[in-house]
Amino acid sequence: MVSNDTDPLAWTRDYTPILQSLAAEYSESKPLEGDTVALASHLETKTGVLVETLRAAGARVLVTGSEPFSTKEAVVEALQELDGIETFIEAGMSDEEWEAGQHDLLEEEPDFILDDGCELIAKVHADHPDIAEGVIGGGEQTTAGITRVEAMEEQDVLQFPVYGVNDTPMKHYFDNVHGTGESSLANVMTTTNTMLSGKTVVVAGYGYCGRGIARKARGMGAWTIVTEVDPRKALEAVMDGHRVMTMGEAASLADYVITSTGNREVVRKEHLDQLQDGVILANAGHFDVELSLEDLKAESNDVTQPKEGITRYHLSDGRRVNVLARGRLVNLTGPHSQGHPAEVMDTTFAMMFAAAHDMLTQDPDLTPGLYAIPDHLDREVASRKLETLGIAIDSLTENQREYYEEWEHPDSSF
Ligand code: NAI
């Protein structure tokens, strides 16, 4: 007789050893006792485990989603059972209800904000300036959010220091490249039940996410084309063996277009004429503005749903354009989406935990602004990860350390 494990977080705990080690380490000393931490992130099982970890370290945790459609009800229900955790989101909420929940959360006056997309950080500044004054600091998880924090810093409106968690090597080298790469392609294939092998995949943006998507698509046997606006990234894509061209040229060759630019209208009216009948469009960037759905709607005489998670636009000349997950994050908001693999969110969320722990307990005395997380914290998470994998690495010998510190190199034979 096999019984179901009804705890929705149980499986994920097994694949998040760094968070488990942090929870074990801090569950007695409770360094975050007395602190209220607000967390906005896609509310699924990995986020649930981060919430548990913050709670284990003593924090009161206020939880919302960084996007209403990625919320998993079972996770919300499991968190609601726990003492010291308050949720401000439910699955199926409209955009308006989700926003209202975020304002209710902010009214609870958090000490620290862990954000994804700069949703809470922007709202507390725009709509709750008195509460923003009392916030000790924040951490931002994703590229799109960092861009917004930079804009706030530039305009001199930021009221507290924010750690750019996305910009740490332990986040973007792994989460953006491997997590987004694997989970986006997995969801494109699962939603459509099509194969990438032998197809042409156009990837817009060759940043961390785009390079992961393009490399992994090619690894599965697809022909890859990259579009870019940055000449160095474009050249990198060329040197990595992808074809590089404008979207205007690529659109006519695409079986799939996957956007990951953090920008808007990357596929727009001028490209629609070029698309092949049956093309599949998906977005892996943070906001649902990379594919211009307005233009698609305007050019269509019918919109249907041929399969769950797929919106089909019937263009007036008979061509059909399929958009996955309503143009929202394909790896997080589709019917089968589970987000990044837990192993990679383990490192990202360990960095989020480190951001809160460092600012709340080490008092780094920072003025308002965007800051890099201290490098030793990034290395510490890398070491923990290697430890959990049972991998040992060499360390510098004294002679090697001295060699790095010299500039004359007296023992060189040159
Ligand atoms: P990045 O800044 O490393 O790369 C973005 C690239 O897009 C840059 O090379 C830029 O030159 C290029 N780009 C900008 N406008 C373009 C245009 N019109 N056409 C073609 N290329 C253009 O950013 P990263 O880390 O790759 O993130 C990209 C997006 O993905 C962001 O919105 C980020 O928040 C999101 N993201 C999504 C994740 C997911 O789970 N789906 C996970 C991590 C990030």
Side-chain angles (χ1 to χ4, degrees):
M1 165 81 182
V2 179
S3 57
N4 284 330
D5 193 337
T6 52
D7 178 350
L9 305 183
W11 178 270
T12 302
R13 283 191 206 102
D14 284 349
Y15 290 90
T16 48
I18 312 178
L19 291 177
Q20 300 313 309
S21 74
L22 291 168
E25 182 172 333
Y26 294 122
S27 59
E28 282 198 10
S29 57
K30 298 211 181 298
L32 304 184
E33 188 96 68
D35 291 318
T36 299
V37 176
L39 172 69
S41 195
H42 300 286
L43 198 43
E44 36 78 66
T45 59
K46 281 86 73 178
T47 306
V49 174
L50 171 62
V51 173
E52 283 186 332
T53 310
L54 289 161
R55 182 70 196 132
R60 170 186 175 222
V61 194
L62 313 173
V63 189
T64 180
S66 48
E67 212 296 343
F69 286 89
S70 55
T71 306
K72 305 287 183 227
E73 193 57 35
V75 176
V76 178
E77 282 168 10
L79 293 176
Q80 282 168 344
E81 299 280 300
L82 303 175
D83 172 49
I85 295 170
E86 288 148 66
T87 58
F88 295 82
I89 187 159
E90 282 168 27
M93 270 184 165
S94 65
D95 282 337
E96 293 71 30
E97 289 167 330
W98 163 71
E99 296 236 359
Q102 295 200 325
H103 290 292
D104 292 344
L105 178 155
L106 290 169
E107 296 284 349
E108 295 292 316
E109 304 185 6
D111 299 303
F112 195 85
I113 297 177
L114 286 171
D115 216 348
D116 181 5
C118 192
E119 289 298 335
L120 293 177
I121 293 173
K123 282 190 183 79
V124 79
H125 283 83
D127 304 315
H128 308 271
D130 296 350
I131 294 173
E133 270 178 35
V135 175
I136 294 169
E140 170 53 51
Q141 177 180 326
T142 200
T143 316
I146 298 277
T147 309
R148 291 177 82 183
V149 178
E150 281 169 348
M152 293 174 77
E153 189 179 30
E154 185 75 18
Q155 290 168 30
D156 211 15
V157 294
L158 205 53
Q159 293 271 334
F160 48 79
V162 177
Y163 273 148
V165 176
N166 179 72
D167 294 344
T168 61
M170 281 309 288
K171 200 280 181 176
H172 60 249
Y173 287 166
F174 303 100
D175 173 317
N176 299 31
V177 179
H178 298 285
T180 311
E182 289 194 18
S183 62
S184 297
L185 295 180
N187 280 289
V188 167
M189 290 186 294
T190 317
T191 305
T192 59
N193 193 20
T194 57
M195 67 194 285
L196 296 185
S197 208
K199 303 278 184 55
T200 297
V201 176
V202 174
V203 179
Y206 204 66
Y208 292 103
C209 296
R211 80 180 60 137
I213 297 167
R215 287 175 187 167
K216 285 165 197 283
R218 197 181 45 197
M220 297 188 70
W223 298 96
T224 45
I225 297 174
V226 167
T227 70
E228 252 298 342
V229 293
D230 179 330
R232 290 164 304 181
K233 300 282 179 63
L235 205 50
E236 192 185 350
V238 171
M239 298 286 177
D240 283 348
H242 307 290
R243 294 177 72 194
V244 173
M245 56 185 81
T246 63
M247 184 58 83
E249 295 169 292
S252 64
L253 303 172
D255 295 305
Y256 304 82
V257 180
I258 306 176
T259 54
S260 61
T261 68
N263 208 336
R264 66 158 81 128
E265 296 153 12
V266 179
V267 178
R268 54 186 180 271
K269 189 172 186 306
E270 68 195 74
H271 306 124
L272 301 185
D273 283 347
Q274 317 296 324
L275 295 172
Q276 301 189 69
D277 177 36
V279 67
I280 291 168
L281 309 183
N283 168 47
H286 190 82
F287 294 108
D288 60 346
V289 294
E290 304 214 8
L291 306 169
S292 176
L293 301 183
E294 287 304 310
D295 287 348
L296 264 171
K297 256 183 243 157
E299 298 295 309
S300 303
N301 50 26
D302 198 10
V303 180
T304 57
Q305 186 180 330
K307 201 172 180 309
E308 198 188 4
I310 306 177
T311 311
R312 176 171 279 173
Y313 293 84
H314 298 260
L315 302 183
S316 45
D317 63 6
R319 283 174 301 134
R320 295 158 305 166
V321 176
N322 301 300
V323 174
L324 306 193
R326 289 176 269 199
R328 293 176 185 251
L329 291 148
V330 70
N331 59 331
L332 280 149
T333 60
H336 313 286
S337 302
Q338 299 187 64
H340 288 19
E343 292 105 316
V344 87
M345 288 315 293
D346 195 27
T347 44
T348 297
F349 282 160
M351 292 311 304
M352 292 286 268
F353 182 92
H357 182 263
D358 189 67
M359 240 190 251
L360 290 170
T361 67
Q362 302 304 302
D363 194 15
D365 195 21
L366 302 171
T367 53
L370 178 64
Y371 291 88
I373 292 198
D375 193 54
H376 72 93
L377 296 176
D378 199 59
R379 285 175 180 273
E380 210 174 288
V381 169
S383 299
R384 271 186 201 253
K385 177 72 182 174
L386 284 173
E387 218 173 281
T388 67
L389 294 171
I391 295 172
I393 60 169
D394 289 324
S395 36
L396 292 174
T397 65
E398 204 44 51
N399 277 351
Q400 288 170 336
R401 203 181 304 280
E402 275 173 21
Y403 185 72
Y404 273 165
E405 285 162 7
E406 288 165 0
W407 63 275
E408 289 180 295
H409 288 184
D411 56 348
S412 157
S413 56
F414 294 105

